[in-house]
Amino acid sequence: MVPTAEFAEAFAREWVAAWNSGDLERILSHYSDDFEMRSPLIAERGFSTDGCLRGKEAIRPYWAAGLDARPPLHFELIGVHTGAGALAIVYRSRGRGKLVVERIEIGPDGKGLRAEALYRDDPGAT
């Protein structure tokens, strides 16, 4: 699927709202059952040495731990970009002092197949 700008914007807004709701099932609904997630935090937090998890059942405990961490997660959408079969959500992780780009490859059903989170410190964090 080549996401349109309208699809990407709607996906990004719902995705951020899902994370801000703290509802893990709502978050996971954006992805296929066997999707792959890559993040340096996966390795840093001991969930996988290579920073990659595959499948909702493997990813569920990692994201549940993130939702339970303090300060609580709160994302602020900055923008969304589209590509060939992918979109990138650019957001600020309030309270955690990070700017993040989440690149998500989109399958024919409009759900994420592969995702990768890229982080940097937020110079404007308070």
Side-chain angles (χ1 to χ4, degrees), residues 35-39 42 47-48 50-55 58-60 62-63:
F35 86 102
E36 178 181 290
M37 180 69 209
R38 293 182 175 276
S39 169
I42 291 171
F47 286 90
S48 169
D50 67 355
C52 181
L53 295 170
R54 290 173 189 84
I59 294 161
R60 184 183 307 278
Y62 165 63
W63 282 352

Side-chain angles (χ1 to χ4, degrees), residues 2 18 26 38-39 46 48 56 62 65 76 79 81 85 97 100-101 115 125:
V2 176
R26 183 175 170 192
R38 293 182 175 276
S39 169
S48 169
K56 285 184 179 179
Y62 165 63
E76 174 189 319
H81 305 273
V100 188
V101 175

Side-chain angles (χ1 to χ4, degrees), residues 7-17 77 79-80 87-89:
F7 172 89
E9 185 70 28
F11 186 99
R13 289 191 182 286
E14 166 50 30
W15 185 90
V16 167
L77 181 62
V80 62
L87 57 86
I89 302 169

Side-chain angles (χ1 to χ4, degrees), residues 28-44:
L28 288 167
S29 75
H30 293 88
Y31 300 92
S32 64
D33 287 341
D34 60 347
F35 86 102
E36 178 181 290
M37 180 69 209
R38 293 182 175 276
S39 169
L41 298 180
I42 291 171
E44 182 181 298

